Amino acid sequence: MQLLQEKGCFACDLSSPLQQRAQGARNALSSPSAPPPSHLRMPSKPHVEARVREIFMPALSSTMTEGKIVSWSKSEGDKLSKGESVVVVESDKADMDVETFYDGILAAIMVGEGEVAPVGAAIALLAETEDEIAEAKSKAAASATSSSASPAPAVEPVAPITPTPAPAPPSASSVPPPAPIDDGPRRTIATPYAKKLAKQYKVNIDTIVGSGPYGRITATDIETAAGKTPAPKPQPAATPAPVVAAPVAPAASKPASQTSTTATAVPGTVVPFTTMQGAVSRNMVESLSVPTFRVGYTICTDALDALYKKVKSKGVTMTALLAKAVALALAQHPVVNAGCKDGKSFTYNSDINIAVAVAMDGGLLTPVLQNADKVDLYALSAKWKELVDKARAKQLQPHEYNSGTFTLSNLGMFGVDRFDAILPPGTGAIMAVGASQKKVVATANGMLGVKSQMQVNVTADHRIIYGADLAAFLQTFAKILENPDDLTL
Amino acid sequence: METASFQASFLLSPAHRSSVSTATPHGLAFCGLHKNLLSVKTTCAKVGSHSLTTQNPGKSSSWRVMASGSSNNGTPSSFDYDVIIIGAGVGGHGAALHAVEKGLKTAIIEGDVVGGTCVNRGCVPSKALLAVSGRMRELQDEHHLKALGIKVAEAGYERQAVADHANNLALRIRGNLTNSMKALGVDILTGVGTLLGPQTVKYGKVGFTDKTVTAKNIIIATGSVPFVPPGIEIDGKTVFTSDHALKLEWVPDWIAIVGSGYIGLEFSDVYTALGSEVTFIEALDTLMPGFDPEITKLAQRVLINTRKIDYHIGVLAKKITPAKDGKPVQIELVDTKTKEPKGTLEVDAALIATGRAPFTKGLGLENVNVVTQRGFISVDDRMRVIDANGELVPSLFCIGDANGKMMLAHAASAQGISVIEQISGSDNVLNHLSVPAACFTHPEISMVGLTEPQARQKAEEEGFEVSVAKTSFKANTKALAENEGEGLAKLIYRPDTGEVLGVHIFGLHAADLIHEASNAIAMGTSIQEIKFAVHAHPTLSEVLDELFKSAKVGEHSPVSVKAEPVAV
């Protein structure tokens, strides 16, 4: 935070006085140059200050934030008279000729053709007489160096005692730039929108570490760096919706006591659904159009528990173990991995993607472990961790929450021994997993023994999945869990 | 038939018989005919030999030989059909319907599906996707909705359902096309057609015996396929053409679109509306080459700059490797002119929209001595096929993408109708400058005739003046009611005669608005005439009404093209 503040201020200091003033003088194209603030190292002669005027990037429309110089109708050294067109500016709407209010000489062009400047920034200097040209030029040069230096970490902050936290303009390149350790030139790969946002928020994209696929910089990275709340992706590919029905495991292995979702309820109030809750609601209602049925199974987990103990230290989670086991069972029973989209056909999915319900504050999400049958257990566990982190940060990409072909919901950590789940629309089946509990059971040789058992209960769409299908699937699933060594292969 | 017999007697005159030809393929073609028409075998052979000696370059003459043979023989017709069309795309369909109207016995050969590219892999399914993207845009534009007083909770879409809509539309239109031809009595012959001669085609499916049919006239309408430049590896999943993209099997987070013509532009509209980010790769120095520069500029502001799109211009995608082995799609860029490397892009998918290549392979063109130019079949302005010697191949026409004159579905259809007109005895030359084109982005772009630079060049060469008039959608009541004031219509005309040289529109429903202008060009209506036509109020058509009214014809004050300077 310390760093951040310093950084913000630092950026403030460097932004030239021209720009600062320009904020107030949006629509006044030219105005006398104010004396530069003393802490800015810039040659200035007080007696000429009124004779060198700046030409600003005008605001040509209400939505214009920056303008591109299409062409300069005049060159440096040209005499200008009031009302004459000087420059053609391209805004977000149109090309416009911009004229000057003052007579004078175009002393220095600070923003060249094809370059872009924010509204209010000085784009050229207008000298009243030839005598001022040199002065104007040096001023332009100084301004150029200071503005180009702004992102460079090499310049020390001029004002070390940070006065009042300057209303950190969005310009602050707020992320502490990580030292470029990479040998060789690091390739910055940023998505188109990320680049646009970086420009908008004036974030130096080279300092950002991408969190997107293949390490690319995404819009979210820039928003985070700029201190903005990442906007929800405007067009989420919605169905099968990000949210699933059913009770849900709290995010990863949080202790059960921490489920904080109920904390905010105020008695006697009506609180509208959030977007996420709205989606849950819609999906729940939609699920009523699907004829579902349920089949339960009790599975001995002694072998699974033993395996879990062994691999836990390697970062393997129970969620990954269960997802893997489900995926391997689904591979043998493709119909349980299918879906019914139109009421007339089976849609057999080419991949086995296990969605796992996760409780989030005020809602729930279903991050998806893609190709869980093919990805090995350790990679799957790592992936799960990544997904949960992303889900918490609300950074899940649509394909990371809506590509599930089968859903897993686990309430075992709460001590729930059995429950049933509502089928998420678009998929064929969902499995509700209860807690593993020690039970006294009759063993194979007719003696009494103690075994760990858990109950699973699958809800399925009976239009495509029949009782025998689920039974066979559950039998396979139980076999896998009772002889779980294959899971680590 | 009148023409035919005239031609025949003309042909059999001694003078012509003595002319020599080297066009052996024609002889072969007639041999092909024998198999099929046993009854006139001898006549054929005899007349066939005539044909060898009666080549009359530049005149559509020798194609009447068979007709003459048959009439001499007393056989009513020795041809199976009056017209055979190879390829049942939009061009072939248009030609077939018009042929029936003209009383011609018509067959159409299709080796794939009726409807061709447009209906199955082009304009039609893309319109379904664009219908979705248009609505998604509206529903997501909070600012816009708020201005209208509408509240929408959340807009989402289901990819498969969108894809199904596109596919169902294609199926439906295909059905319509098929039924319309069947109902009119057009024979639909299934199989790949191969020319055996200028009047003989064999067709058949793989594994079946080929059948041979003859016709007085043959129209090639085989269309085109997506063009994929060398170095680009298509896997159909992460690197693909419009053929695959229209199936919308997935919506990548980030897709590179190679080529910013109207195919690329339309897909950028679809993908960004569905949540993708897009990177354009354009080999030329501007995006949207081919459009009027002013329209391009405005379109770029609205369709590119405000969206999640960036672009690289002046670069070629030299090599594109599909995603595999845990790596994303890799695109190697080089400078178009200098070929120096310009870096590598890593994206989730790449759509190759670099244009279309004619589909003329396997057509048996060697049998009629026709050599293609980069695959295109050369034709004259009446769509008559020109052979390797620069001579017209009698009785053989080529319409649509395969001739490359104007690669648009409706242009193909118009060419087909023009050909049928000629076959039926009335000369008809299609004015391609009157054929409109449209790009169905949101908002749409449409154009007809010349662009401003083209018009100015022509004016300089031919020594006339050019004026430009423009109107904005902002001044149109209906556009403002829709809160869609962003748009421009531009008229390029001759101030001396009032002739319309070109009209370009960017704005709401531009594609539907262009026809008033294209009709004016086709009919030769001058601005002085059309400006008195009445338009319903309030409609978008008033944008063009205003446009025509603002043109200054017969005055000597040159219209200022420049925007009024603004004082700020």
Side-chain angles (χ1 to χ4, degrees), chain A residues 45 69 104 126 139 156 227 263 272 304:
Chain A
K45 291 181 205 159
I69 308 294
L126 189 64
K139 198 169 175 174
E156 73 212 306
L304 181 68

Side-chain angles (χ1 to χ4, degrees), chain A residues 27 29 90-95 97 101 187 189-193 195-196 214 216 233-235 238-239 282, chain B residues 140 154 157 254 272-273 275 277-279 297 301 304-305 307-310 326 328 346 348 562 566 568:
Chain A
N27 288 329
L29 176 57
E90 178 184 319
S91 74
D92 54 339
K93 298 267 195 297
D95 289 359
D97 288 331
F101 280 160
R187 279 188 318 140
I189 295 185
T191 72
Y193 190 43
K195 283 187 216 155
K196 276 191 181 168
Y214 315 106
R216 75 171 65 129
K233 211 177 176 191
Q235 304 98 347
T239 7
R282 274 197 304 283
Chain B
Q140 287 165 2
E154 181 196 31
Y157 67 94
W254 184 4
T272 53
E277 295 181 36
V278 169
T279 294
K297 217 164 179 182
R301 267 189 205 118
I304 310 260
N305 296 354
R307 296 183 180 173
K308 295 176 180 179
I309 302 178
D310 68 352
E346 288 183 2
D348 297 319
K562 244 171 129 187
V566 284
V568 279

Side-chain angles (χ1 to χ4, degrees), chain A residues 249-253 304 308 315-327 354-358 367 369 372 377 380-381 383-385 387-388 408-410 413 433 477 487:
Chain A
S253 45
L304 181 68
Y308 181 49
V316 172
T317 61
M318 186 49 93
T319 300
L321 273 170
L322 289 173
K324 182 77 189 172
V326 165
I354 308 298
V356 185
V358 174
L369 287 164
L377 191 58
L380 209 58
S381 301
K383 183 75 192 170
W384 178 243
K385 193 174 172 307
L387 287 171
V388 169
L408 198 56
S409 183
N410 184 1
M413 64 286 275
V433 181
F477 178 65
L487 294 178

Side-chain angles (χ1 to χ4, degrees), chain A residues 27-97:
Chain A
N27 288 329
L29 176 57
S30 311
S31 75
S33 176
S38 53
H39 66 266
L40 228 117
R41 292 158 299 181
M42 181 185 284
S44 69
K45 291 181 205 159
H47 69 279
V48 292
E49 66 192 31
R51 303 250 192 101
V52 177
R53 300 172 195 278
E54 289 147 12
I55 298 178
F56 296 136
M57 174 62 70
L60 298 173
S61 74
S62 57
T63 54
M64 177 173 167
T65 56
E66 60 176 26
K68 184 176 169 187
I69 308 294
V70 177
S71 61
W72 283 97
S73 328
K74 302 285 177 183
S75 329
E76 289 188 3
D78 283 0
K79 283 208 167 129
L80 306 177
S81 42
K82 196 174 153 188
E84 207 172 356
S85 168
V86 186
V87 61
V88 181
V89 170
E90 178 184 319
S91 74
D92 54 339
K93 298 267 195 297
D95 289 359
M96 302 259 201
D97 288 331

Side-chain angles (χ1 to χ4, degrees), chain B residues 26-302:
Chain B
H26 292 105
L28 287 174
F30 283 102
C31 288
L33 193 55
H34 301 163
K35 291 182 217 154
N36 212 32
L37 299 168
L38 295 172
S39 62
V40 289
K41 197 171 181 178
T42 47
T43 321
C44 274
K46 188 174 149 212
V47 184
S49 67
H50 281 315
S51 86
L52 278 175
T53 60
T54 51
Q55 281 295 302
N56 199 353
K59 300 214 175 72
S60 52
S61 44
S62 65
W63 60 276
R64 305 292 181 188
V65 169
M66 283 314 296
S68 81
S70 58
S71 57
N72 286 347
N73 208 30
T75 320
S77 170
S78 59
F79 289 101
D80 300 329
Y81 295 100
D82 293 313
V83 187
I84 287 178
I85 300 154
I86 308 177
V90 169
H93 176 258
L97 259 52
H98 196 64
V100 173
E101 190 186 319
K102 287 286 171 183
L104 302 174
K105 191 179 181 216
T106 309
I108 196 158
I109 300 177
E110 178 54 59
D112 187 17
V113 283
V114 169
T117 296
C118 173
V119 171
N120 299 293
R121 298 173 299 274
C123 346
V124 170
S126 67
K127 292 306 96 51
L129 298 184
L130 282 157
V132 173
S133 84
R135 280 166 176 78
M136 284 297 290
R137 278 188 195 293
E138 279 178 27
L139 293 173
Q140 287 165 2
D141 190 345
E142 279 174 34
H143 180 70
H144 186 201
L145 291 172
K146 213 173 156 188
L148 293 170
I150 298 176
K151 276 185 187 169
V152 173
E154 181 196 31
Y157 67 94
E158 193 186 332
R159 183 201 52 78
Q160 188 58 49
V162 177
D164 290 348
H165 171 50
N167 189 41
N168 291 341
L169 179 69
L171 287 177
R172 187 166 167 189
I173 305 291
R174 189 198 300 171
N176 289 351
L177 247 58
T178 311
N179 292 341
S180 66
M181 290 196 290
K182 277 187 183 157
L184 290 171
V186 175
D187 285 350
I188 301 176
L189 312 175
T190 309
V192 176
T194 306
L195 289 168
L196 298 177
Q199 291 172 301
T200 317
V201 194
K202 86 173 178 198
Y203 70 96
K205 284 186 197 168
V206 179
F208 290 87
T209 327
D210 287 347
K211 289 181 185 155
T212 304
V213 278
T214 60
K216 280 188 206 149
N217 302 285
I218 291 173
I219 302 175
I220 299 167
T222 45
S224 63
V225 291
F227 169 67
V228 179
I232 295 177
E233 186 190 329
I234 300 281
D235 71 348
K237 290 199 162 58
T238 58
V239 180
F240 46 77
T241 67
S242 54
D243 285 4
H244 307 99
L246 287 165
K247 294 182 190 151
L248 201 71
E249 282 172 348
W250 64 307
V251 179
D253 287 347
W254 184 4
I255 182 166
I257 300 183
V258 186
S260 64
Y262 53 90
I263 299 177
L265 215 53
E266 288 188 353
F267 273 106
S268 80
D269 196 277
V270 170
Y271 278 117
T272 53
L274 299 186
S276 303
E277 295 181 36
V278 169
T279 294
F280 271 118
I281 298 167
E282 173 57 58
L284 298 178
D285 286 334
T286 67
L287 287 176
M288 304 176 232
F291 293 89
D292 185 87
E294 205 165 352
I295 297 287
T296 299
K297 217 164 179 182
L298 182 61
Q300 186 173 330
R301 267 189 205 118
V302 178

